[in-house]
């Protein structure tokens, strides 16, 4: 029983980590697009970098939450009821952002769509960090620092992604935005991650610094690898802390479903998860080229 419980905790941590890494640059692009673009063509170019993948990235969140509900119902119920308002605001943000991205090319004046994309990207980018920091430390100050750290990290991650996936003026401005964001992210990383005191947290801070250095040297591919690795390692550090007690006074075994449910989930996950990973990898491979500036 304990082995299966630990297996499903690892799977859920993996799903959340994938969500943070992939949606991290989505949120960053949504926040930065109005500021690195001059005119509708450049704005379109910026958003087209995430156009083929943003909705697929959200599947990671749906899968992570669904796995929590099935494998650890007490953890799911306790966490999402305790943070009901932030979770509702996150859902509202995701809906508004999705509407903005889908409708932007179908309306005459897309200013409200652009505002919705910015707000809908900022809310989850900040609130997920605040929620998990509050779960770990039960402190308003920790929640604020955690939220600012994840928001700033998403901006950095998105700026590096934009500099990797675009050309021309947008690429130059995205690189400048990444360097500016680094000056904010690195102190916040020290404040947010040093309290965890784990090896993944320390390596995450080093990876963020490496991402800034690689961006300065115009090595966008390696810089994106560094920022993605930093987010993944920060997530690993958070879930390593949660493993002992995902909620105060509740162990993983206490929060878990029964043996039959976990066994059935294991077979379902074994069959379906590889297909999901292969499909998402294929999507990124197909849309791997830079998005060029084109006039419409």
């Amino acid at each position: 029983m304990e082995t299966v419980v630990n297996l499903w905790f690892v799977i859920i941590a993996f799903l959340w980590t994938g969500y943070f890494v992939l949606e991290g640059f989505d949120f960053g692009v949504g926040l930065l697009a109005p500021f690195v673009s001059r005119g509708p063509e450049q704005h379109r170019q910026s958003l087209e970098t995430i156009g083929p993948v943003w909705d697929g990235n959200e599947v990671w969140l749906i899968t992570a939450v669904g796995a929590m509900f099935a494998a650890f119902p007490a953890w799911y119920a306790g966490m999402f009821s305790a943070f009901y308002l932030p979770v509702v605001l996150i859902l509202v943000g995701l809906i508004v952002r999705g509407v903005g991205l889908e409708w932007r090319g179908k309306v005459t004046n897309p200013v409200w769509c652009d505002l919705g994309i910015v707000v809908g990207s900022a809310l989850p980018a900040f609130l997920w960090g605040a929620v998990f920091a509050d779960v770990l430390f039960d402190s308003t100050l920790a929640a604020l620092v955690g939220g600012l750290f994840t928001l700033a990290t998403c901006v950095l991650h998105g700026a590096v992604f934009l500099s990797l996936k675009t050309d021309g003026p947008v690429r130059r401005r995205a690189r400048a935005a990444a360097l500016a964001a680094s000056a904010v992210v690195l102190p916040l990383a020290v404040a947010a991650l040093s309290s965890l005191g784990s090896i993944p947290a320390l390596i995450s801070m080093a990876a963020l610094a490496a991402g800034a250095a690689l961006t300065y040297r115009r090595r966008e591919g390696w810089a994106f690898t560094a920022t993605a690795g930093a987010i993944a390692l920060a997530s690993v550090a958070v879930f390593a802390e949660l493993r002992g007690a995902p909620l105060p006074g509740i162990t993983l075994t206490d929060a878990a479903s029964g043996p039959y449910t976990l066994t059935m989930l294991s077979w379902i996950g074994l069959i379906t998860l590889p297909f999901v990973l292969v499909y998402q990898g294929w999507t990124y491979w197909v849309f791997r080229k830079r998005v060029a500036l084109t006039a419409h």
Side-chain angles (χ1 to χ4, degrees):
M1 176 66 176
E2 184 177 353
T3 301
V4 180
V5 168
N6 287 326
L7 171 64
W8 271 99
F9 180 79
V10 170
I11 291 173
I12 289 169
F14 171 76
L15 293 170
W16 276 107
T17 300
Y19 170 70
F20 291 141
V21 171
L22 298 175
E23 280 279 78
F25 69 76
D26 270 1
F27 295 149
V29 170
L31 284 161
L32 286 169
F35 305 102
V36 300
S37 309
R38 302 292 184 270
E41 289 80 17
Q42 292 183 13
H43 204 142
R44 186 182 303 110
Q45 179 191 18
S46 297
L47 293 179
E48 282 182 356
T49 61
I50 61 172
V53 298
W54 70 267
D55 49 354
N57 292 343
E58 288 188 353
V59 173
W60 288 77
L61 173 62
I62 297 170
T63 310
V65 173
M68 284 181 66
F69 174 76
F72 299 99
W75 183 18
Y76 168 89
M79 179 172 173
F80 288 103
S81 61
F83 297 97
Y84 181 81
L85 180 58
V87 170
V88 168
L89 290 175
I90 288 169
L91 292 176
V92 170
L94 293 175
I95 292 169
V96 169
R97 185 181 72 122
V99 170
L101 288 168
E102 290 291 342
W103 285 12
R104 190 179 187 279
K106 302 176 176 65
V107 296
T108 304
N109 184 4
V111 62
W112 290 108
C113 293
D114 294 337
L115 179 61
I117 294 169
V118 172
V119 174
S121 299
L123 280 174
F126 174 82
L127 289 172
W128 279 129
V131 165
F132 277 94
D134 201 299
V135 170
L136 286 176
F137 302 109
D138 192 21
S139 163
T140 302
L141 179 60
L144 177 61
V145 172
L148 291 174
F149 168 65
T150 53
L151 178 63
T153 302
C154 286
V155 171
L156 172 60
H157 196 36
V160 173
F161 182 76
L162 274 173
S163 67
L164 174 66
K165 291 288 290 181
T166 59
D167 58 12
V170 171
R171 181 184 181 186
R172 292 194 295 272
R173 295 191 197 102
R175 177 177 174 272
L179 293 174
S182 298
V184 178
V185 169
L186 295 177
L188 285 171
V190 173
L193 297 177
S194 59
S195 57
L196 295 175
S198 63
I199 293 176
L202 296 175
I203 300 176
S204 176
M205 288 187 279
L208 287 170
L214 290 162
T215 300
Y216 180 77
R217 294 174 61 86
R218 292 181 169 83
R219 303 293 298 273
E220 291 104 338
W222 284 109
F224 182 74
T225 301
T227 55
I231 294 172
L233 287 164
S235 179
V236 168
V238 168
F239 279 95
E241 289 290 316
L242 291 174
R243 183 179 177 276
L247 289 174
I250 298 178
T251 66
L252 279 180
T253 303
D254 295 334
S257 295
Y260 177 78
T261 301
L262 291 176
T263 301
M264 291 300 297
L265 285 174
S266 299
W267 282 108
I268 294 171
L270 182 66
I271 294 170
T272 59
L273 190 58
F275 288 100
V276 174
L277 296 176
V278 169
Y279 174 76
Q280 185 123 39
W282 175 80
T283 302
Y284 278 94
W285 175 257
V286 169
F287 296 102
R288 67 189 181 279
K289 294 182 180 179
R290 291 185 184 270
V291 178
L293 180 62
T294 56
H296 288 261

